[in-house]
Amino acid sequence: MGWAIALHGGAGDIPLSLPADRRTPREATLRHCLNLGVAALRANRSPLDVVELVVCELENSPCFNAGKGSVLTTDGTVEMEACIMDGNTKKCGAVSGLSTVVNAISLARLVMERTPHIYLGFDGAEAFAREQVKSSNNILFYS
């Protein structure tokens, strides 16, 4: 059985009318993420690892409405969310209301793998993230 990969940069589109100085970095980031995902799949990384890897790259880019590029709330704060699912096991994990965690997708994966829960939000998700740091997991926080 072969594989396929699809990705997007969140809600909205990249209209051709967008000035090149704003459109080009978005297109380049999507190409980079696609190439990263393809290389990881060719290296026989698990689909779940590839999803987390690619979404982390999107979260680390200021070009998209995720992570670093999150649109601010009306109060001027960030409230990120992410979810992930393992198609083989049908297990999933989700988080929302994150304001300090760098990669929400990584925390969602830890919810799936290390808790009996499917979803953690706001203060509970942030507390879980802090617990994971104490457990030597690679959760990073914004300063």
Side-chain angles (χ1 to χ4, degrees):
M1 181 180 204
W3 50 263
I5 187 169
L7 59 100
H8 67 86
D13 63 1
I14 305 173
L16 293 175
S17 61
L18 194 65
D21 64 321
R22 292 183 54 215
R23 186 182 70 248
T24 303
R26 294 173 190 197
E27 292 170 345
T29 299
L30 288 173
R31 264 190 229 88
H32 167 71
C33 290
L34 179 62
N35 292 336
L36 191 66
V38 168
L41 286 168
R42 286 186 174 146
N44 293 318
R45 299 230 2 224
S46 77
L48 204 56
D49 287 346
V50 175
V51 166
E52 182 180 6
L53 174 72
V54 170
V55 173
C56 279
E57 283 293 307
L58 289 168
E59 290 176 335
N60 293 339
S61 169
C63 297
F64 299 103
N65 183 11
K68 188 182 245 184
S70 292
V71 173
L72 300 180
T73 67
T74 56
D75 292 331
T77 61
V78 170
E79 290 180 0
M80 295 174 285
E81 67 231 1
C83 62
I84 192 166
M85 181 177 204
D86 184 332
N88 291 323
T89 65
K90 308 299 187 255
K91 290 179 70 176
C92 60
V95 291
S96 70
L98 299 176
S99 60
T100 65
V101 175
V102 172
N103 292 112
I105 193 67
S106 296
L107 189 62
R109 184 171 182 180
L110 289 172
V111 168
M112 177 182 74
E113 293 178 341
R114 298 181 182 232
T115 77
H117 308 293
I118 293 172
Y119 166 78
L120 294 175
F122 298 87
D123 291 342
E126 293 279 351
F128 177 67
R130 287 188 296 278
E131 289 171 15
Q132 296 311 297
V133 170
K134 292 175 187 172
S135 301
S136 300
N137 287 306
N138 292 328
I139 295 297
L140 301 174
F141 293 88
Y142 289 110
S143 53

